[in-house]
Amino acid sequence: AATEPDADRRAYAVWVSEIMLQQTQVATVIDYYNRWMQKWPTLQALAQASLEEVNELWAGLGYYSRGKRLQEAARKVVSELAGRMPRTAEDLQKLLPGVGRYTAGAIASISYGQATGVVDGNVIRVLCRLRCIGADSSSPAVIDRLWDMANVLVDRSRPGDFNQALMELGATVCTPKAPLCGECPVKQHCQAWRRVEKELAFTSQKLFGKPAPVPDVEDCGVGGCPLCPPAAEPWNSTLGVTNFPRKAAKKQPRAAGTATCVLERRGCHGALEYLIVQRPSSGLLAGLWEFPSLPLAQGLQEEKQREVLADHLQAWMGWPVVAKDLRLIGEVVHIFSHIHQTYVVYSLPLDGDVTLDPALSPSRWVTEEEFYASAVSTAMKKV
């Protein structure tokens, strides 16, 4: 970003990388990012792209609404803001769809040198350990306190470098498990590390029968503090600094079932072709293509599954589908962040052409190669 003289191009590049890096690891993002920037090097280029093109390039990256909102926001910058990106974190968050507090802070500090902090998962972990914050780190009260800290701490002359260094510290040194405290450049300021050292000293004193040390006046008082660990979850000496941060218990993803039918035919050149249909423009995997599918009620027996799928296909195609002609291929499991999805896969070879009613759903026949080049989810590639 620092070597790009055009502030709008610099901010656009940081913005794309930050959106892609939400919920996705750096190693996965690099290839997508490079392809994206090659195809749409400017906001103006992205604003002219179609949603279909965006979905095709995003396929496999997950959380597909991110790409859609990125493009919507690019169109807004071009049409309503004369192609000029907002210059402050406040305006970025206010004016651009899909840009939240973190992304706005990252763009403003890295691209424009605004002295504003950022709080992501890595920063939460670093700050909770630095300040011994043991309350639930996903609670609004704790998150607000962490933002206040980040805004106070940020280096006024090099905010972008500081924020990236803080995130890198969490990603490489102050890791969730087995942090490298010995190599940490800020351990002298870290209250969690200091507490571990104190516990070790206290344990060794007890071994030698020395009296217990007087509590430090800087140690937080017991009870009533909104940032301390709850009394029901005391300090666990086996965890050391990884006592922090505390997280709320993770909700288990709900189980869901889907019947999917791979309709196949011989194309005019003899190659096998498969029918894919487009999902609705909102909701999970919005606008992506898939094999004809429908949600299944829990506990439905195979015979009943075939019947409901045959009825579904029949309504779509307008001619009879016999349930026993559907061949069960197997099951595919795909875990979305909040759904444990099981696809029950059937296949149905067809003799001739089938055109679905376009009012129901856009559809097209594709070869295997065309299928992989389409905007299809990782789950459908597994299918």
Side-chain angles (χ1 to χ4, degrees):
T3 59
E4 169 59 69
D6 182 337
D8 288 304
R9 281 181 74 131
R10 184 165 68 231
Y12 167 64
V14 172
W15 180 20
V16 172
S17 73
E18 291 298 346
I19 296 292
M20 285 188 172
L21 286 164
Q22 289 169 4
Q23 311 284 347
T24 311
Q25 293 181 325
V26 175
T28 307
V29 164
I30 291 171
D31 279 351
Y32 283 91
Y33 175 80
N34 288 333
R35 284 204 303 275
W36 181 287
M37 296 307 291
Q38 208 169 347
K39 190 162 185 172
W40 302 301
T42 63
L43 272 166
Q44 288 72 12
L46 177 59
Q48 288 168 1
S50 69
L51 181 58
E52 182 72 6
E53 287 177 296
V54 168
N55 278 340
E56 279 176 13
L57 201 148
W58 204 275
L61 204 50
Y63 299 93
Y64 292 88
S65 59
R66 294 182 295 170
K68 183 183 178 184
R69 286 206 300 265
L70 192 51
Q71 198 220 13
E72 283 170 5
R75 285 185 168 167
K76 184 176 179 182
V77 173
V78 170
S79 63
E80 296 176 28
L81 306 175
R84 194 169 186 269
M85 287 275 288
R87 293 300 198 257
T88 65
E90 296 72 30
D91 285 348
L92 285 159
Q93 193 178 346
K94 192 167 67 186
L95 298 172
L96 301 185
V99 172
R101 196 174 181 182
Y102 164 76
T103 307
I107 297 170
S109 62
I110 296 168
S111 306
Y112 301 130
Q114 185 187 353
T116 184
V118 294
V119 173
D120 73 344
N122 288 312
V123 174
I124 288 172
R125 189 165 56 256
V126 171
L127 294 181
C128 283
R129 288 175 183 169
L130 275 172
R131 307 297 297 161
C132 260
I133 295 171
D136 171 11
S137 62
S138 64
S139 74
V142 172
I143 292 291
D144 283 345
R145 187 65 65 93
L146 294 173
W147 272 99
D148 292 343
M149 278 184 206
N151 285 325
V152 168
L153 280 173
V154 65
D155 187 286
R156 295 298 182 256
S157 58
R158 292 170 64 192
D161 288 345
F162 180 88
N163 286 337
Q164 289 180 84
L166 192 56
M167 292 188 273
E168 192 75 1
L169 181 70
T172 60
V173 177
C174 195
T175 51
K177 294 174 182 157
L180 308 173
C181 294
E183 296 172 25
C184 181
V186 295
K187 71 178 175 197
Q188 301 305 334
H189 305 284
C190 178
Q191 292 187 8
W193 185 71
R194 211 180 290 170
R195 171 141 190 199
V196 171
E197 295 290 292
K198 266 189 200 163
E199 295 276 339
L200 289 171
F202 178 50
T203 308
S204 64
Q205 282 177 335
K206 264 203 329 199
L207 282 173
F208 292 109
K210 293 184 179 173
V214 177
D216 192 318
V217 292
E218 287 186 355
D219 286 347
C220 190
V222 179
C225 172
L227 300 180
C228 276
E233 297 174 43
W235 170 272
N236 180 341
S237 57
T238 63
L239 294 177
V241 300
T242 64
N243 272 285
F244 307 98
R246 296 285 166 111
K247 290 190 179 73
K250 220 177 176 183
K251 264 169 66 175
Q252 287 302 308
R254 64 180 170 84
T258 296
T260 296
C261 188
V262 181
L263 295 164
E264 54 181 60
R265 69 170 191 190
R266 284 277 165 206
C268 52
H269 300 297
L272 269 179
E273 292 182 339
Y274 307 94
L275 189 74
I276 55 174
V277 295
Q278 194 170 27
R279 287 180 65 84
S281 58
S282 60
L284 184 71
L285 307 174
L288 265 64
W289 293 79
E290 65 182 7
F291 300 115
S293 304
L294 88 157
L296 289 174
Q298 287 292 307
L300 217 56
Q301 295 303 312
E302 189 189 320
E303 201 175 324
K304 192 67 185 149
Q305 284 180 9
R306 286 175 193 276
E307 285 172 24
V308 294
L309 184 56
D311 290 347
H312 178 67
L313 294 169
Q314 191 165 311
W316 227 337
M317 298 193 291
W319 49 270
V321 175
V322 183
K324 65 176 174 36
D325 290 346
L326 293 167
R327 188 160 69 91
L328 179 63
I329 303 293
E331 291 186 354
V332 166
V333 172
H334 188 77
I335 315 280
F336 296 95
S337 58
H338 55 302
I339 302 168
H340 188 289
Q341 179 72 262
T342 301
Y343 293 92
V344 185
V345 185
Y346 291 87
S347 97
L348 181 63
L350 299 172
D351 295 333
D353 190 14
V354 174
T355 29
L356 301 191
D357 179 353
L360 289 172
S361 181
S363 64
R364 64 178 198 249
W365 287 94
V366 291
T367 62
E368 189 175 348
E369 197 179 341
E370 288 164 343
F371 171 81
Y372 281 106
S374 301
V376 291
S377 66
T378 303
M380 279 298 127
K381 288 177 183 169
K382 287 184 187 176
V383 167

